[in-house]
Amino acid sequence: IAPDEPHDNPELPKVVEQPSAAALLIRGEAFVALNGFDKAFWPAWFEDVDLCKRLADSGWVAAIDSRARVIHEGGHSLRALSAGEFARAWYPNLVCYWRKHGSNSEYFVLRALLAIALLLRSGISFLGSLTNRSDNAVADEHLELSKALFDLALDPTRHTSSSR
């Protein structure tokens, strides 16, 4: 079907900008032509968004087939990381995506807003650690997140050494 013709027929694939990567199937020809996932997004997050953007820019079309069924027992990446480790992977990869695909002005606005948002979230997380003093695990998690977010507010492109 033409990518500019939306439809509601469940017997036809629905063209989308980016399907969920939890069940992403891609033609080998397209994957090879684009050199696969960009390793700059390691260990996780935004590599699928980047790949779909590059596919679209190269003339490929992404679609969802409502007839397909997949069982996703996912969330393993998220469960394996602490809040601080997640922040040190997710936020830099967000910045990496916009640095790669956005305009200079979008990138500048993102960096400014991200610094403000991360400092606010860090402050809220730190206050949360003070209120949960009786639960050392929760307090430690809040403190780790606060440190990670503060570091990222200063330099959102930085990955931890354990992430690289």
Side-chain angles (χ1 to χ4, degrees):
I1 62 171
D4 58 346
E5 295 178 16
H7 63 83
D8 293 319
N9 182 346
E11 295 302 313
L12 295 173
K14 182 168 181 87
V15 173
V16 296
E17 285 186 38
Q18 186 230 330
S20 170
L24 186 63
L25 297 175
I26 184 168
R27 290 180 187 264
E29 171 189 352
F31 195 75
V32 169
L34 296 174
N35 296 316
F37 291 114
D38 185 338
K39 291 177 179 65
F41 296 101
W42 188 89
W45 295 290
F46 292 96
E47 73 279 7
D48 54 334
V49 182
D50 169 69
L51 180 64
C52 288
K53 170 79 170 120
R54 290 186 290 129
L55 283 168
D57 290 349
S58 298
W60 292 91
V61 176
I64 296 174
D65 188 338
S66 63
R67 299 167 297 174
R69 297 291 176 254
V70 175
I71 297 172
H72 178 237
E73 296 178 12
H76 298 287
S77 299
L78 189 55
R79 283 194 301 267
L81 301 175
S82 69
E85 290 169 326
F86 169 80
R88 285 187 173 99
W90 197 89
Y91 289 107
N93 285 351
L94 169 67
V95 170
C96 181
Y97 179 84
W98 281 105
R99 184 176 53 235
K100 184 174 181 178
H101 295 292
S103 68
N104 286 338
S105 59
E106 289 172 332
Y107 176 68
F108 175 78
V109 169
L110 173 69
R111 288 284 308 264
L113 292 175
L114 190 57
I116 293 166
L118 290 174
L119 285 171
L120 287 172
R121 186 166 180 190
S122 179
I124 291 167
S125 182
F126 178 73
L127 291 174
S129 72
L130 297 177
T131 62
N132 288 310
R133 285 187 171 178
S134 61
D135 185 348
N136 287 340
V138 171
D140 289 347
E141 186 78 5
H142 281 294
L143 208 49
E144 180 190 359
L145 179 59
S146 292
K147 289 176 185 175
L149 293 173
F150 184 76
D151 289 345
L152 290 166
L154 297 175
D155 181 7
T157 62
R158 179 173 38 176
H159 287 79
T160 61
S161 58
S162 63
S163 297
R164 279 282 177 197

